[in-house]
Amino acid sequence: MCEKNYIAIDLGASGGRVMLGRWDGHAITLDELHRFSNDAVRVNGTLYWDILRLLHEIKTGLAKASQHEITAIGIDTWGVDFGLLDRRGLLLENPIHYRDSRTNGVIEEVDKLLTPRALYDETGLQRLPFNTIYQLYALKSQRPEVLDQAKSLLMLPDLLGYFLTGAMATESSIARTTQLLNVHTGDWSSLIFDKLGLPRELFGEIVPSGTVLGTLLPEIQDETGLGPVPVISVCGHDTGSAVCAVPAAQDDFAKANLYGSEFAFISSGTWSLFGTELDRPIVNDKSFSYSITNESGFGKTRFLKNITGLWLIQESRRHWNRHSYSYSYADLERLALEAPPFARFIDPDDPAFIAHGNVPERISAYCTKTGQTPPGSVGETVRCIYESLAMKYRATLEKLELCTGKRYNALHVMGGGVKDGLLCKMTARACGIPVLAGPAEATVLGNLLAQMIAQGEVADLRQAREVVRGSFDLDVYGVDDGEAWREAYWRFKKVKF
């Protein structure tokens, strides 16, 4: 067969890429066509995404792709954030960043109208203060005039797809991040819209992953030099795309598990998404008490927990480098290795660490508050972050196993975090099971694979994962120092977070 070329547009909270995937019928190879930063912009106290600049960068990447014959295009982004369109289909304002302060205190207001348990039973989602439900309720309470002007709400991958094609739809995996869907029907929840007084009319049709959204608009074709290439609604939520590319050999796992789960994973990046894949959601007392979420994947349920991930390292490095230092990530890893082990722990998910700013100072304050000695150096701060993340992973693994009734013998780590060998090594030691790290470009690969399934080039998700295994090597991190980590984990659990 002749080689086919696909484009994956992958946007993360700190940057984006336009990637070319070449498929020769046996393996995928990747080429980066265009990379760009994604910089939040604060205006008059509000933190925005610069969506029009992101669109410009995407079109720049598509123009670079015009020298190839492109089969299809897919877009994935982070979850929860959205754009509003008026009755002419024009953007009302730049989408607001999920780390903006407008949702401060909103979760408590919503609790008065819909209890946390009732909301979980309806949606199956982890209760996070920046979820779309709380952003939308904040908008209704604080700026109702904006909602009055709006006719449509689109999640970010769907918004960018609309800019490229003129077609509107909401892909199922990104829709689930809103916490506005019924977990069992997969459709918008009348209960939530009625209880909170939110405008149901803003939300359109939900389409399954792999749906063809439309073809590039004539103006986009002229601007980029591409033809009428189809844009496919892949798993628009980047974690959903990443999980499509988990290189798990499903036949290698026992099938006796009640829920059909076959592997455990961490999608590692700014956030760490720790979970497994299920045939159907788990919504019960145990999953609620552990705050484990049920998200949509490519025809599957992703049963997982959102954990603050490398954000803590990224934001600490930004702070240090703003103050006359110039640390690379390799520098920080070296300094961490020079620091004494297991000296202090934090809960990475504490609300103190959500906002932009001086994370190292907050870690020091947190240690003081919890009766621990604050870190005295950059290396001690970084080591505290790494070890605390690894311990959090172990705690999450235990909860996952209790909910699914399955023991996992290995842990797949994919995404940008696989480049952080120290964290992968610590994760294996903390969890007491081997870590299989790779591929680093899991999100891009999952985006491409969903397109290939939609085009009939790959039969299904099982075959897609075989393609990943045949195209990329994995790094394996084994388990040692088990006793030291077990003792440290006991001390981690004793800290009064």
Side-chain angles (χ1 to χ4, degrees), residues 312-313 316-317 320 327-337 339 344 346 360 363 375 377-389 420 422-423 426:
L312 295 168
I313 296 291
S316 294
R317 178 174 175 264
W320 288 318
Y327 292 121
S328 68
Y329 287 112
D331 292 333
L332 297 181
E333 184 172 311
R334 174 180 53 80
L335 292 169
L337 285 169
R344 59 194 58 82
I346 61 170
I363 289 174
S377 68
V378 168
E380 290 183 5
T381 299
V382 176
R383 182 136 197 162
C384 171
I385 293 171
Y386 277 137
E387 290 177 344
S388 297
L389 281 172
D420 199 322
L422 178 58
L423 181 58
M426 288 184 172

Side-chain angles (χ1 to χ4, degrees), residues 25 32 47 50 99 156 180 250 256 267 281 289 364 368 469 491:
E32 184 180 287
L47 194 64
D50 195 350
R99 294 191 190 274
L156 290 193
L180 294 167
Q250 292 163 312
S267 179
S289 67
S364 292
T368 299
R469 293 198 302 278
R491 289 195 287 112

Side-chain angles (χ1 to χ4, degrees), residues 46 81-82 93 95-106 134-136 138-139 142-143:
T46 298
D81 288 336
F82 58 88
E93 64 178 6
I96 295 178
H97 197 298
Y98 64 85
R99 294 191 190 274
D100 182 72
S101 62
R102 68 172 170 171
T103 55
N104 290 354
V106 172
Y134 302 114
Q135 293 195 46
L136 197 59
L139 192 58
Q142 301 162 17
R143 302 172 63 210

Side-chain angles (χ1 to χ4, degrees), residues 122 176 180-190 200 204 206:
E122 181 69 8
R176 185 62 67 89
L180 294 167
L181 270 64
N182 178 278
V183 65
H184 300 294
T185 67
D187 205 352
W188 303 114
S189 167
S190 298
R200 167 66 179 84
I206 297 173

Side-chain angles (χ1 to χ4, degrees), residues 77-152:
T77 77
W78 63 96
V80 307
D81 288 336
F82 58 88
L84 293 169
L85 304 169
D86 69 11
R87 283 156 180 77
R88 295 179 297 164
L90 300 178
L91 188 66
L92 282 170
E93 64 178 6
N94 269 18
I96 295 178
H97 197 298
Y98 64 85
R99 294 191 190 274
D100 182 72
S101 62
R102 68 172 170 171
T103 55
N104 290 354
V106 172
I107 198 167
E108 291 80 12
E109 295 179 32
V110 170
D111 286 350
K112 297 173 185 175
L113 301 172
L114 197 59
T115 67
R117 181 58 193 264
L119 184 60
Y120 185 79
D121 286 345
E122 181 69 8
T123 67
L125 245 65
Q126 184 178 356
R127 185 165 160 266
L128 297 169
F130 45 72
N131 284 351
T132 313
I133 185 174
Y134 302 114
Q135 293 195 46
L136 197 59
Y137 192 83
L139 192 58
K140 170 183 175 287
S141 302
Q142 301 162 17
R143 302 172 63 210
E145 69 280 1
V146 175
L147 286 181
D148 290 342
Q149 299 176 62
K151 184 177 187 296
S152 303

Side-chain angles (χ1 to χ4, degrees), residues 24-100:
D24 65 3
H26 302 285
I28 296 177
T29 55
L30 301 177
D31 289 316
E32 184 180 287
L33 299 179
H34 187 55
R35 177 181 289 266
F36 47 94
S37 66
N38 182 8
D39 302 297
V41 181
R42 190 175 296 280
V43 181
N44 295 331
T46 298
L47 194 64
Y48 296 94
W49 296 109
D50 195 350
I51 195 71
L52 299 183
R53 176 176 167 262
L54 294 178
L55 177 63
H56 168 75
E57 298 288 2
I58 288 168
K59 290 192 289 185
T60 299
L62 292 178
K64 293 178 180 179
S66 63
Q67 60 185 297
H68 307 279
E69 184 176 345
I70 303 302
T71 301
I73 298 167
I75 306 169
D76 66 78
T77 77
W78 63 96
V80 307
D81 288 336
F82 58 88
L84 293 169
L85 304 169
D86 69 11
R87 283 156 180 77
R88 295 179 297 164
L90 300 178
L91 188 66
L92 282 170
E93 64 178 6
N94 269 18
I96 295 178
H97 197 298
Y98 64 85
R99 294 191 190 274
D100 182 72

Side-chain angles (χ1 to χ4, degrees), residues 244-275:
C244 286
V246 173
Q250 292 163 312
D251 291 338
D252 294 343
F253 292 87
K255 297 180 179 179
N257 174 49
L258 177 63
Y259 295 100
S261 55
E262 295 165 327
F263 57 85
F265 67 82
I266 302 176
S267 179
S268 178
T270 300
W271 289 90
S272 294
L273 294 308
F274 193 129

